[in-house]
């Protein structure tokens, strides 16, 4: 039995390696003059978006160029590809990579110092001035699509959406039963709501929360203030303090008309609005004092790419209004360029979501925050 | 499931006369698999709840996580909610399915076939589809509420996100299995016995309590114990349809493990659930063993 199992493991490992080798060879064989090899860390829906919205337009505008869109196969293999690009840089050979999507520039170590990635702050791409400075994380990553948590509401019942968290709380209390957010562990939108509330009770000071500084002693007094705020609004929530089971159920509740406002991810909200599963009067808005949490996906271009000129041309195309409009309409994403550069219809539709800040919240805080929420906020509901 | 069915319904087979080692050889492979992939990891995690890593890195015996569970009112409320949901669901399942099973046993009409197909239908629908369909149907401003308002009944309170939400979802989900076991049990009742009772003037209720129920006692026991096992650990229906708090043990364990990132407490909760469920498991095994023994005596 043991022998057999070992042989079995060896066999599967060999098949796995063979598959990887075949895959790499396939990629090598495809590299050719005028073919841009682009590797994706994002899901297939994003690759499909490139295939239908970006590839045809770019290839038509640049005859002789072909975009070869390759699913990178997850973080570990994307890292391996970045290592390959770095090794090629050191040996002066062709990395067979012209662009990498949705990974950071920090792996492999030393790559930035060695000049592996293009520095977009010095390249003067023609569309660079259109990019919203708030969404740029570092000069090597060119952000091209985003998702941010927003307020999603029925504009018939909410003519002027809240602009600050304080106004949001006031609106919730003035309209009992009309607001719901998701349980923090089941929908990130709900997590973002209580995290934004935590930032609110701590004076909107983002620097208080970092990846390294969570300790129970440090966090407890802050949480205590948060529970007061959340318990204060709980009786004014849907069903006197009930919480939805995820991002989609929140939107569903809004769609059914029982509530007038909820918290949602922008891409899910936009897809729901484009597909018409929510009423025509549905709209989204962003807080203007400190926005809800969000994140942007970027592309990296290796400086040693064989088709370097063309890769930069593609990068410039990505942040053109032409592609950015499609990011909103076809992908349900957020544009990385300023809303003022977008098509007038989209500008009008999303006038309330333009943001000047895209905060993040450190993961190490979440286990204690979420469990505390269950024990101190969710369990206080008394059913009549 | 087919095991349960056959053991609950199979006619007495040829008695086992000789003890043959080849028989054991046949079951060696599955037992080994169960031992390696189920028993060993389960025992390890149970062991891990009492032989605990201390802050200084050493290991020592400790029942602190159990003491915490039984002194934590939040955990106990969740356990209580799980019992409530399980028992209410089981009672409803029997109340709904027993009449159907009796009807199917004594009616030969085409309608009976149709009803049987209809009752088994949930088996072919994936849980996630049922959940979203139920939310659309039973949810606030859903189809049911709209229909009720059309006929002039207002004041509908949606069970969505209340303790009744998961009960309804789980009744839907467990109905086909319950009905299958009960109809299988029913088919073992001899028509002649009922006719004999009618001849001596027994009323319908009398027939139900004195003839039908005693004969399907085993099926009822099987269905109760297996449903208990299935319902008690349910995680999906409760967190899609149920209230945020109190939680059922299924979502609570899941959350403790993945969100709170406290594997020790999650394992402790799982061990407690396992201990409670093994009572139901024991009842099931005993009922099977009794039947086996009875068959061997014949």
């Amino acid at each position: 039995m043991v022998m057999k199992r070992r042989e079995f493991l060896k066999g599967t490992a060999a098949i796995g390696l063979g598959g990887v080798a075949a895959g790499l060879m396939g990629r090598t064989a495809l590299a050719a003059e005028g073919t841009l090899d682009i590797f994706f860390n994002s899901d297939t829906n994003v690759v499909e978006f490139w295939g239908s919205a970006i590839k045809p337009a770019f290839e038509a505008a640049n005859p002789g160029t072909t975009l070869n869109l390759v699913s990178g196969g997850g973080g570990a293999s994307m890292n391996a590809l970045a290592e390959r690009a770095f090794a090629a840089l050191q040996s002066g050979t062709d990395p067979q990579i012209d662009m990498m999507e949705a990974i950071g520039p920090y792996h492999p170590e030393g790559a930035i110092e060695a000049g592996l990635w293009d520095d977009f702050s010095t390249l003067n791409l023609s569309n660079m001035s259109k990019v919203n400075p708030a969404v740029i994380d570092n000069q090597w990553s060119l952000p091209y699509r985003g998702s941010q948590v927003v307020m999603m509401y029925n504009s018939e019942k909410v003519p002027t959406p809240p602009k600050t968290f304080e106004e949001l709380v006031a609106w919730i209390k003035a309209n009992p039963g009309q607001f719901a957010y998701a349980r923090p562990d089941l929908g990130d939108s709900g997590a973002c709501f209580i995290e934004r509330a935590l930032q609110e009770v701590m004076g909107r000071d983002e620097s208080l929360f970092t990846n390294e500084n969570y300790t129970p002693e440090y966090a407890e007094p802050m949480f205590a203030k948060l529970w007061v705020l959340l318990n204060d609004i709980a009786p004014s929530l849907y069903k006197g303090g009930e919480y939805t089971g995820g991002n989609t159920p929140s939107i569903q509740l809004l769609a059914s008309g029982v509530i007038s406002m909820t918290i949602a991810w922008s891409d899910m909200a936009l897809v729901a609005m484009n597909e018409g599963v929510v009423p025509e009067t549905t709209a989204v808005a962003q807080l203007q004092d400190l926005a809800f949490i969000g994140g942007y996906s970027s592309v990296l271009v290796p400086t040693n790419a064989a088709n370097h000129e063309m890769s930069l041309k593609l990068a410039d195309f990505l942040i053109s209004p032409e592609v950015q409009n499609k990011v909103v309409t076809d992908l349900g994403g957020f544009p990385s360029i300023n809303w003022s550069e977008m098509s007038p219809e989209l500008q009008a539709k999303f006038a309330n979501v333009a943001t000047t800040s895209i905060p993040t919240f450190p993961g190490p805080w979440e286990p204690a925050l979420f469990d505390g929420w269950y024990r101190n906020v969710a369990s206080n509901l008394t059913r009549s | 499931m087919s095991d349960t069915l056959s053991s609950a319904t199979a006619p007495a087979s040829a008695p086992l006369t000789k003890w043959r080692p080849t028989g054991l050889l046949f079951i060696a492979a599955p037992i080994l698999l169960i031992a390696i992939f189920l028993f060993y990891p389960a025992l390890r995690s149970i062991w891990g709840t009492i032989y605990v890593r201390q802050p200084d890195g050493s290991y020592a015996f400790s029942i602190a996580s159990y003491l915490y569970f039984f002194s934590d009112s939040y955990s106990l409320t969740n356990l209580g909610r799980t019992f409530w949901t399980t028992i209410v669901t089981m009672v409803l399942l029997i109340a709904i399915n027993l009449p159907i099973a009796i009807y199917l046993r004594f009616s030969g009409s085409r309608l009976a076939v149709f009803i049987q197909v209809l009752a088994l239908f949930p088996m072919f629908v994936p849980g996630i589809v049922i959940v979203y369909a139920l939310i659309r149907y039973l949810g606030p401003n859903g189809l049911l509420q709209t229909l009720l308002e059309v006929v002039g009944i207002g004041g509908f309170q949606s069970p969505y996100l209340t303790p009744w939400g998961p009960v309804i979802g789980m009744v839907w989900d467990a109905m086909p299995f319950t009905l299958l076991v009960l109809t299988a049990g029913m088919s073992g009742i001899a028509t002649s016995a009922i006719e004999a009772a009618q001849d001596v003037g027994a009323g319908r209720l009398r027939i139900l309590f004195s003839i039908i129920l005693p004969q399907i006692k085993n099926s009822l026991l099987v269905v109760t114990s297996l449903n208990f096992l299935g319902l008690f650990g349910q995680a999906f229906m409760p967190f899609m349809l149920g209230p945020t708090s109190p939680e059922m043990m299924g979502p609570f364990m899941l959350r403790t493990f993945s969100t709170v990132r406290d594997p020790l407490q999650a394992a402790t909760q799982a061990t407690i659930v396992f201990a409670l469920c093994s009572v139901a498991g024991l009842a099931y095994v005993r009922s099977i063993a009794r039947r086996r023994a009875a068959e061997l005596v014949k």
Side-chain angles (χ1 to χ4, degrees):
Chain A
M1 186 70 198
V2 173
M3 263 316 283
K4 268 184 190 161
R5 207 174 136 229
R6 217 172 264 164
E7 275 164 20
F8 169 73
L9 287 176
K10 266 191 208 161
T12 44
I15 291 167
L17 283 176
V20 171
L24 289 177
M25 274 158 66
R27 283 164 196 171
T28 312
L30 280 169
E33 190 63 30
T35 300
L36 299 190
D37 294 312
I38 305 163
F39 292 88
F40 289 85
N41 197 20
S42 293
D43 282 334
T44 46
N45 66 322
V46 173
V47 184
E48 275 165 25
F49 166 74
W50 277 61
S52 64
I54 298 175
K55 182 178 156 83
F58 190 75
E59 287 174 356
N62 299 281
T65 304
T66 316
L67 300 191
N68 179 29
L69 312 177
V70 189
S71 263
S77 45
M78 287 301 280
N79 283 345
L81 286 164
E83 284 157 20
R84 187 173 96 190
F86 193 32
L89 180 76
Q90 287 162 330
S91 61
T93 50
D94 178 7
Q96 322 265 8
I97 297 168
D98 295 287
M99 189 178 273
M100 299 190 74
E101 193 258 7
I103 64 164
Y106 305 108
H107 182 91
E109 211 171 316
I112 290 175
E113 293 75 10
L116 175 61
W117 310 118
D118 271 316
D119 180 347
F120 288 101
S121 65
T122 61
L123 279 172
N124 299 319
L125 297 182
S126 67
N127 290 314
M128 198 64 200
S129 59
K130 301 187 174 92
V131 174
N132 181 353
V135 312
I136 296 177
D137 181 67
N138 61 72
Q139 64 261 48
W140 304 279
S141 300
L142 184 70
Y144 80 100
R145 66 180 182 90
S147 187
Q148 194 163 7
V149 171
V150 292
M151 293 173 281
M152 187 181 185
Y153 62 98
N154 184 344
S155 60
E156 227 168 41
K157 294 182 185 161
V158 190
T160 47
K163 286 208 165 6
T164 63
F165 198 85
E166 217 180 327
E167 281 180 36
L168 175 60
V169 168
W171 183 89
I172 292 169
K173 286 188 186 169
N175 298 274
Q178 293 296 304
F179 182 83
Y181 65 91
R183 300 168 207 172
D185 59 318
L186 297 184
D188 268 339
S189 55
C192 290
F193 178 81
I194 65 171
E195 285 158 8
R196 178 63 185 79
L198 180 62
Q199 290 167 339
E200 183 72 17
V201 294
M202 295 315 296
R204 294 191 288 278
D205 183 358
E206 284 179 81
S207 66
L208 292 172
F209 315 99
T210 69
N211 275 316
E212 291 79 29
N213 72 354
Y214 174 80
T215 62
E217 299 75 34
Y218 177 63
E220 251 345 294
M222 303 187 185
F223 288 173
K225 286 188 190 176
L226 175 65
W227 310 146
V228 172
L229 172 69
L230 293 179
N231 280 321
D232 185 36
I233 61 169
S236 309
L237 297 177
Y238 171 64
K239 279 201 175 170
E242 193 43 82
Y243 306 90
T244 67
N247 300 319
T248 306
S250 291
I251 295 177
Q252 226 169 21
L253 215 53
L254 182 73
S256 69
V258 217
I259 56 169
S260 304
M261 195 193 293
T262 187
I263 301 294
W265 277 102
S266 61
D267 53 341
M268 297 180 76
L270 298 196
V271 167
M273 287 158 73
N274 286 335
E275 287 179 352
V277 295
V278 285
E280 277 286 294
T281 50
T282 306
V284 287
Q286 184 57 270
L287 294 177
Q288 298 302 318
D289 51 348
L290 176 65
F292 285 111
I293 286 155
Y296 275 74
S297 295
S298 308
V299 292
L300 297 176
V301 175
T303 48
N304 56 344
N307 304 293
H308 190 241
E309 281 296 300
M310 202 48 88
S311 301
L312 291 183
K313 207 166 172 186
L314 176 62
D316 200 19
F317 184 57
L318 287 180
I319 50 172
S320 67
E322 182 186 348
V323 169
Q324 291 293 311
N325 284 328
K326 286 184 190 159
V327 163
V328 179
T329 54
D330 296 9
L331 192 62
F334 261 24
S336 64
I337 61 174
N338 292 311
W339 282 94
S340 57
E341 306 284 349
M342 302 291 283
S343 80
E345 305 96 77
L346 290 178
Q347 274 190 49
K349 204 168 176 184
F350 299 110
N352 289 319
V353 292
T355 178
T356 49
S357 59
I358 300 178
T360 53
F361 190 85
W365 283 67
E366 289 187 336
L369 178 63
F370 295 176
D371 195 42
W373 179 85
Y374 267 87
R375 289 167 178 274
N376 294 288
V377 181
S379 57
N380 284 345
L381 174 65
T382 44
R383 273 167 222 289
S384 49
Chain B
M1 195 145 71
S2 59
D3 274 2
T4 1
L5 288 182
S6 55
S7 52
T9 63
S13 51
L16 214 62
T17 45
K18 259 191 245 166
W19 193 87
R20 287 187 188 155
T22 39
L24 285 182
L25 216 64
F26 270 121
I27 59 161
I31 285 192
L32 210 61
L33 277 177
I34 291 174
I36 293 171
F37 292 108
L38 270 174
F39 285 157
Y40 176 64
L43 282 177
R44 259 190 66 134
S45 73
I46 292 173
W47 177 247
T49 61
I50 49 171
Y51 192 61
V52 187
R53 196 187 152 94
Q54 303 298 309
D56 62 7
S58 65
Y59 284 82
F61 282 101
S62 159
I63 52 161
S65 62
Y66 290 89
L67 291 177
Y68 175 76
F69 185 93
F70 287 107
S71 62
D72 177 34
S73 67
Y74 186 78
S75 303
L76 291 176
T77 315
N78 287 347
L79 187 63
R81 168 62 60 202
T82 312
F83 268 112
W84 181 90
T85 310
T86 306
I87 289 165
V88 167
T89 309
M90 283 194 322
V91 169
L92 280 177
L93 275 170
I94 300 286
I96 292 169
N97 286 294
L98 193 59
I100 301 180
I102 293 173
Y103 172 76
L104 293 177
R105 167 66 183 83
F106 295 107
S107 166
S109 68
R110 272 165 178 269
L111 186 67
V113 178
F114 176 70
I115 287 177
Q116 181 147 26
V117 170
L118 203 64
L120 296 184
F121 176 67
M123 197 174 254
F124 304 102
V125 187
I128 180 104
V129 176
I130 294 175
V131 164
Y132 277 102
L134 281 176
I135 295 177
R136 301 293 292 256
Y137 179 72
L138 293 170
N141 287 1
L143 185 62
L144 182 62
Q145 185 175 2
T146 314
L147 289 176
L148 287 175
E149 274 164 12
V150 165
V151 296
I153 303 171
F156 170 76
Q157 286 293 320
S158 169
Y160 177 48
L161 299 181
T162 73
W164 290 99
V167 169
I168 293 170
M170 279 151 56
V171 165
W172 223 96
D173 213 30
M175 191 156 146
F177 168 69
T178 312
L179 189 66
L180 274 178
V181 177
L182 288 182
T183 41
M186 285 288 180
S187 66
I189 299 173
T191 313
S192 55
I194 290 167
E195 281 169 353
Q198 277 172 336
D199 287 345
V200 294
R204 287 179 172 216
L205 278 180
R206 185 64 199 242
I207 291 175
L208 176 67
F209 284 108
S210 302
I211 298 191
I212 296 178
L213 286 185
Q215 293 213 45
I216 61 161
K217 201 176 74 189
N218 225 19
S219 299
L220 282 172
L221 199 65
V222 164
V223 94
T224 309
S225 52
L226 288 185
N227 270 339
F228 184 90
L229 294 179
L231 299 172
F232 205 82
Q234 257 273 4
F236 182 61
M237 295 277 178
F239 80 42
M240 289 304 290
L241 298 171
T244 311
S245 174
E247 303 163 85
M248 273 181 73
M249 288 309 285
F252 184 41
M253 280 188 272
L254 210 61
R255 192 171 68 76
T256 307
F257 184 77
S258 64
T259 314
V260 187
R261 292 177 212 163
D262 187 348
L264 173 63
Q265 199 55 37
T268 305
Q269 292 161 1
T271 307
I272 291 164
V273 168
F274 169 74
L276 291 167
C277 282
S278 34
V279 175
L282 203 68
Y284 169 69
V285 171
R286 281 192 57 174
S287 97
I288 297 296
R290 254 209 315 271
R291 200 180 168 84
R292 266 295 164 87
E295 278 165 9
L296 285 181
V297 168
K298 274 186 225 168

